Amino acid sequence: MLRSILVALDDTQGAIVARDAAIAYARRSGASLTVAVVLDRPHTQDEHEAVPLGAGAFKRQRDAKLTEQAEAEAQAALRACAQAAEGLDYRALRLEDAPGPALVKAGATHDLIVIGRDSTLGRETHDGVAPVIETLLRDGARPLVVVPPDATIRAEGPILAAYDGSAPSREALHLFALLGLAGDSPVRVAAIARTQDAAQAMAEEGCAALRQHGVAAEPLASVGGDVAGLILAEAEAIGARALVMGAFGGSSLLRMLIGSTTDRLLHQARVPVFIHR
């Protein structure tokens, strides 16, 4: 059962939709909600940065401006959250460290981390994907919900789970079921292999993992080599409201190679992605 949620706030569209998704999860489940703003003091006040002789005053002015800007953005995000979460009790958290370490540490005391796919948190994104997402997958212990900026948050509708038989894939299904995130929605387990029989067997295995936790699941078996493309097409075809997956696809989670199945799905999915390593 979902008990606690952490969501990262900033002014990007993905972060705004992620905030609304986290609020909706908290309202439906009764889980406690923590909203976090990241002030990133190491970035705004880098005492070890080398500067040319005589440029100290310029650096101090620049750091003061960055600090003021970060504070103003944090306050604006918190005010907007208060309006969106009206009537819901939640805790606001100010994180001073860099985004990755700060959210890894804060996330350790929560069941789920929700983050916008394009959330900058004061840093540049990598082709529209927040770099902190890779850090959270690599170093964090909690599953993520990565929310695209154009996602529509729905409480009802089918959920698509991508299953490849790997340990991360099994763990993702297990945690998704334990946290009760499916609600009453059916979960369709998509498996892709070289033969229909192999894909069907794999999909049935994933369904069995969900059914043992009381989650209604149906197999979707496909044959092909473009795993990400088939999963994205299936999500569109069934009108999925969410995608569940482990970090899989033949690439090391430590590398998150561009073009890998995991990376492509995170970049291109049009619905919130529940992912665990």
Side-chain angles (χ1 to χ4, degrees), residues 33-67:
L33 176 64
T34 301
V35 301
V37 291
V38 181
L39 298 174
D40 196 359
R41 298 302 188 200
H43 182 223
T44 58
Q45 300 176 1
D46 187 356
E47 297 179 357
H48 303 290
E49 180 184 0
V51 296
L53 187 64
F58 171 80
K59 179 183 181 302
R60 286 192 294 273
Q61 290 177 353
R62 186 205 62 187
D63 288 354
K65 185 175 181 179
L66 288 172
T67 299

Side-chain angles (χ1 to χ4, degrees), residues 78-103:
L78 288 171
R79 286 194 299 271
C81 183
Q83 292 181 340
E86 184 177 3
L88 177 69
D89 288 333
Y90 65 90
R91 181 170 70 106
L93 189 62
R94 294 165 57 90
L95 302 177
E96 304 282 332
D97 206 347
L103 289 174

Side-chain angles (χ1 to χ4, degrees), residues 129-153:
V129 175
V132 73
I133 291 172
E134 181 178 347
T135 302
L136 289 168
L137 286 173
R138 183 186 66 229
D139 300 333
R142 296 297 180 260
L144 308 180
V145 172
V146 179
V147 184
D150 57 349
T152 299
I153 305 304

Side-chain angles (χ1 to χ4, degrees), residues 25 37 59 61 69 72 96 105 126 131-132 149 201 236 251 271:
Y25 293 153
V37 291
K59 179 183 181 302
Q61 290 177 353
Q69 180 180 343
E96 304 282 332
K105 183 176 181 179
H126 295 164
V132 73
E236 289 287 332
S251 65
V271 296

